[in-house]
Amino acid sequence: MSRLQTRFAELKEQNRAALVTFVTAGDPGYDASLAILKGLPKAGADVIELGMPFTDPMADGPSIQLANIRALAAKQDLVKTLRMVREFRQDDQSTPLVLMGYFNPIHKYGVPRFIADAKEAGVDGLIVVDLPPEHNVDLCEPAQAAGLDFIRLTTPTTDDKRLPKVLNGSSGFVYYVSVAGVTGANAATLEHVEQAVARLRRHTELPVCIGFGIRTPEHAASVARLADGVVVGSALVDRIAKAETPGQAVEDVLGLCRELAEGVRAAR
Amino acid sequence: MTSYRTGPDATGLFGQFGGQYVAETLMPLIHDLAAEYEKAKTDPAFLEELAYFQRDYVGRPSPLYFAERLTEHCGGAKIYLKREELNHTGAHKINNCIGQILLARRMGKQRIIAETGAGMHGVATATVAARFGLQCVIYMGTTDIDRQQANVFRMKLLGAEVIPVTAGTGTLKDAMNEALRDWVTNVETTFYLIGTVAGPHPYPAMVRDFQAVIGKETREQLMEKEGRLPDSLVACIGGGSNAMGLFHPFLDDASVKIVGVEAAGHGIETGKHAASLNGGVPGVLHGNRTFLLQDEDGQIIDAHSISAGLDYPGIGPEHAWLHDIGRVEYTSITDHEALAAFHQCCRLEGIIPALESSHALAEAFKRAPTLPKDHLMVINLSGRGDKDMQTVMHHMQEQKESVV
């Protein structure tokens, strides 16, 4: 079983949802970012999404745009992001780690080389925002052939006709983008989330994680009652933006992660 | 004979370029748009309406003008100018805007968004939105807003809301990112009116088709005047819509030499340029695979050009393909060369060209003297230069000071 399968099976046994956290690699700098990454599992993150910085994050709102800018200013690149994953894996063999970002840096790195290096570093899955199933051959198929999960985004605009196409080739989990919009946008209503999860469950056995606009432990808890996982990104990244020192950034991100984890764990 | 005019394939690819690299939220809409456009382009009612607006609103056909004094000055090829700058709103941009707004109306969209660099596409979009009574939001980088004040004012007069984009260097690429973010947020109500032959399929093909009226007219007009096809075509390229519009109807005419001119800015060797084909490598941005200015890590590098309309780190995927297979030759012209050509055109023909179009003029002026007098060359004068007065004034001032 893959790390993602194992983790979601464990959580099902415990009857609780996963807390999925997103931070951008290299934000606010390599060392602090690595410290955040290493601290997240202990602070209650069940699955880690690590952003690969890109100059043109077209599907991201202001918080994650700024995170990308900070990381790039600190000279983060894909080589360093993979090194960060390797360092993380030295003392954590169980927490699933998914790289998330845009296709161009991977394309430039070279797809076969990227897949080999990501696998070797201990990456479990990929989320690539601008690779819809129409472009499965570009990365999804070779990545899955090498044993990396390819996690698809589904959205309110993905109708029943299109859903099978999107889910076909998805593995690991399904990421439901609960609002049409960019990251950090307003949250969807719980009614919408409930209906969306029910609709997805009719089409897939994969765990369903809900993201976009979830910022507080209370909110995370209410979504955790409905889905298999709760994704929080912008709210964590905002803590880095507000911190005055890298040390404080580490502390504040992990602090919020602990609060969110409590919310998720107390939900059911 | 293999045709160069059949692309893209059903998946939106021209060879290995193009495609639909966008977020899932947009995919259903992009498929709808492609289907709607497929229907529209063979619907006589749509084509008739398009022809009506092209004629009575845009002012088509635009003249094909024999530039006698430029021809004399160069002392070689016979130079014709395709006068797209005489269109309503002063550039070729309106050809595409009319087509897309009619499509938006067919699809029942109430809100139009667009990105703009020099402001010409923004003005053309605001114009058609006003004409059809639709809400209009234009994204424009703050750097471009500073250098194109008059166009910002025009857009506002036409009832558009102009949203300044501060991200990145505040130029066209950043405006396009922000427009995509708006679209993903308002996908049900909003039509994204892309201004060039880039973005996800069907935009590159659709915008090309709406602009191909330039080449079709040129063909007929030159046949009428000279009784034959041109020997060469020259057009400037940012995203590449005016060039694609002129080139496409001639791609299968092997005797026609076709030249696209990128912006070399301070010079390609300086790294401060906008020449994606001559100074970039393939990558994926804004919905398509094409040549991009990027660093070793695949991060997009900001383009530089004196002309805001060419200031973009990518290029339409069909151009990338034509470059790859060698059907079109792509060269580049620096800021300086473009300015010199700008002045020559003003003085010799009494036509103030856009700085974008001045790149095509500069390339033509290099080639024309080496060619025989019976060589027929058509330059696409894609826009007028009124919007560039500030930039040119500023540059002349700088030159004066550097001489002192």
Side-chain angles (χ1 to χ4, degrees):
Chain A
M1 279 215 297
S2 71
R3 274 193 204 98
L4 279 164
Q5 280 174 318
T6 308
R7 176 55 48 98
F8 280 104
E10 285 164 9
L11 295 177
K12 196 166 188 181
E13 201 115 297
Q14 296 169 31
N15 187 30
R16 71 169 178 89
L19 173 63
V20 183
T21 59
F22 172 92
V23 288
T24 300
D27 173 26
Y30 188 90
D31 293 340
S33 184
L34 181 62
I36 290 170
L37 195 58
K38 288 189 165 183
L40 281 170
K42 207 184 256 177
D46 300 301
V47 175
I48 292 173
E49 289 179 8
L50 186 62
M52 298 172 280
F54 185 45
T55 38
D56 295 78
M58 286 150 285
D60 283 299
S63 295
I64 293 176
Q65 286 176 45
L66 289 171
N68 278 279
I69 290 170
R70 287 192 299 268
L72 290 170
K75 306 266 184 246
Q76 186 74 14
D77 59 21
L78 196 42
V79 173
K80 287 188 188 169
T81 299
L82 291 169
R83 189 201 307 158
M84 196 174 272
V85 176
R86 271 196 298 277
E87 292 189 52
F88 169 78
R89 275 282 168 251
Q90 284 168 7
D91 15 83
D92 188 316
Q93 285 300 318
S94 58
T95 308
L97 187 147
V98 173
L99 289 179
M100 181 168 185
Y102 296 81
F103 188 40
N104 199 54
I106 297 171
H107 183 276
K108 187 70 174 61
Y109 193 91
V111 166
R113 176 181 164 224
F114 172 75
I115 290 171
D117 291 357
K119 187 80 193 149
E120 183 269 325
V123 172
D124 298 293
L126 305 172
I127 304 176
V128 184
V129 179
D130 51 356
L131 280 181
E134 280 73 2
H135 288 288
N136 271 349
V137 291
D138 290 49
L139 179 63
C140 172
E141 287 169 12
Q144 287 185 328
L148 287 170
D149 281 316
F150 203 84
I151 293 116
R152 289 247 177 252
L153 303 171
T154 63
T155 73
T157 60
T158 316
D159 57 20
D160 283 338
K161 201 177 103 212
R162 183 171 167 79
L163 203 47
K165 182 171 186 162
V166 175
L167 293 172
N168 180 24
S170 291
S171 57
F173 62 93
V174 175
Y175 186 145
Y176 182 68
V177 173
S178 56
V179 287
V182 293
T183 52
N186 292 330
T189 63
L190 291 175
E191 286 91 327
H192 174 87
V193 171
E194 192 167 10
Q195 285 165 14
V197 171
R199 184 164 77 96
L200 286 165
R201 292 221 198 280
R202 286 199 295 274
H203 290 268
T204 182
E205 310 256 289
L206 290 170
V208 176
C209 299
I210 308 291
F212 280 44
I214 301 167
R215 306 189 65 89
T216 63
E218 297 72 29
H219 192 184
S222 56
V223 175
R225 282 179 205 112
L226 306 171
D228 303 308
V230 181
V231 188
V232 181
S234 295
L236 289 166
V237 160
D238 282 345
R239 295 289 169 109
I240 301 177
K242 287 195 187 114
E244 281 172 13
T245 63
Q248 196 193 338
V250 177
E251 210 171 289
D252 289 357
V253 170
L254 297 179
L256 178 58
C257 183
R258 275 188 288 273
E259 293 169 30
L260 291 163
E262 272 173 41
V264 168
R265 281 158 208 251
R268 293 186 201 159
Chain B
M1 195 194 98
T2 52
S3 174
Y4 298 109
R5 303 181 62 230
T6 56
D9 69 13
T11 61
L13 289 173
F14 301 91
Q16 55 168 321
F17 301 102
Q20 299 180 306
Y21 296 89
V22 295
E24 173 57 27
T25 309
L26 295 176
M27 283 308 298
L29 186 82
I30 281 173
H31 285 306
D32 281 355
L33 176 63
E36 194 64 39
Y37 176 59
E38 277 306 309
K39 272 189 269 171
K41 76 181 186 189
T42 54
D43 177 352
F46 179 82
L47 296 174
E48 199 175 303
E49 199 178 21
L50 180 61
Y52 165 77
F53 281 103
Q54 283 178 339
R55 185 183 66 237
D56 287 2
Y57 191 67
V58 175
R60 303 207 71 88
S62 70
L64 183 69
Y65 162 72
F66 169 43
E68 197 176 349
R69 295 199 69 211
L70 282 178
T71 299
E72 263 173 40
H73 177 81
C74 291
K78 189 170 182 183
I79 298 173
Y80 280 92
L81 301 177
K82 181 60 173 163
R83 302 285 306 274
E84 288 298 301
E85 102 283 8
L86 293 177
N87 294 337
H88 182 36
T89 73
H92 69 290
K93 292 292 186 187
I94 190 102
N95 301 332
N96 166 48
C97 289
I98 280 288
Q100 285 197 49
I101 201 104
L102 293 176
L103 202 60
R105 216 174 44 157
R106 260 173 93 102
M107 295 178 75
K109 302 290 180 183
Q110 289 302 311
R111 180 172 177 270
I112 304 296
I113 59 168
E115 81 296 336
T116 196
M120 298 310 275
H121 175 57
V123 167
T125 303
T127 298
V128 296
R131 169 61 185 77
F132 290 96
L134 301 175
Q135 189 195 345
C136 182
V137 175
I138 305 291
Y139 289 92
M140 188 168 184
T142 47
T143 305
D144 289 338
I145 286 179
D146 287 343
R147 55 182 170 177
Q148 300 292 347
Q149 281 294 329
N151 271 345
V152 175
F153 186 63
R154 270 184 204 113
M155 287 184 262
K156 289 182 179 166
L157 280 178
L158 292 160
E161 183 188 354
V162 180
I163 300 186
V165 179
T166 51
T169 44
T171 59
L172 185 53
K173 146 182 109 80
D174 310 298
M176 199 153 179
N177 289 337
E178 210 52 37
L180 281 164
R181 290 181 187 121
D182 178 314
W183 199 23
V184 100
T185 307
N186 301 292
V187 63
E188 300 290 345
T189 58
T190 296
F191 188 97
Y192 182 12
L193 209 162
I194 293 184
T196 192
V197 287
H201 176 67
Y203 284 99
M206 178 171 71
V207 176
R208 173 201 71 199
D209 292 348
F210 290 137
Q211 292 293 0
V213 66
I214 302 171
K216 284 178 202 153
E217 284 177 10
T218 299
R219 228 181 144 90
E220 283 169 22
Q221 288 165 323
L222 204 65
M223 274 296 181
E224 207 169 279
K225 288 176 199 294
E226 299 278 354
R228 66 182 183 89
L229 292 178
D231 296 301
S232 61
L233 305 171
V234 185
C236 68
I237 297 183
S241 70
N242 88 80
M244 214 54 246
L246 176 64
F247 297 170
H248 194 258
F250 294 98
L251 288 177
D252 286 342
D253 298 293
S255 67
V256 182
K257 166 95 184 154
I258 305 181
V259 183
V261 186
E262 297 192 298
H266 295 325
I268 290 180
E269 69 290 350
T270 65
K272 291 185 81 75
H273 62 84
S276 326
L277 293 177
N278 288 292
V281 292
V284 171
L285 181 71
H286 293 154
N288 61 112
R289 184 168 194 276
T290 188
F291 279 76
L292 299 173
L293 304 182
Q294 55 182 316
D295 69 13
E296 279 306 303
D297 188 43
Q299 306 298 338
I300 307 304
I301 296 172
D302 287 312
H304 168 83
S305 171
I306 190 167
S307 74
L310 303 183
D311 212 342
Y312 181 68
I315 184 165
E318 194 166 7
H319 285 295
W321 175 68
L322 291 166
H323 169 71
D324 213 34
I325 61 169
R327 173 61 186 100
V328 176
E329 180 187 348
Y330 292 91
T331 60
S332 64
I333 284 293
T334 64
D335 289 353
H336 268 289
E337 293 170 320
L339 275 164
F342 172 91
H343 287 292
Q344 274 186 323
C345 187
C346 290
R347 295 289 179 90
L348 288 170
E349 291 292 350
I351 296 171
I352 301 176
L355 284 173
E356 289 78 7
S357 320
S358 300
H359 287 72
L361 289 166
E363 180 64 28
F365 297 169
K366 278 188 187 174
R367 286 171 186 255
T370 69
L371 296 165
K373 290 197 187 320
D374 62 352
H375 180 106
L376 302 178
M377 176 184 279
V378 176
I379 306 170
N380 200 4
L381 200 65
S382 55
R384 66 180 180 217
D386 306 46
K387 69 183 172 59
D388 295 317
M389 294 301 97
Q390 257 188 320
T391 307
V392 175
M393 250 191 291
H394 175 75
H395 201 271
M396 288 169 78
Q397 192 63 33
E398 263 186 0
Q399 273 201 323
K400 224 193 239 165
E401 280 163 14
S402 70
V403 171
V404 175

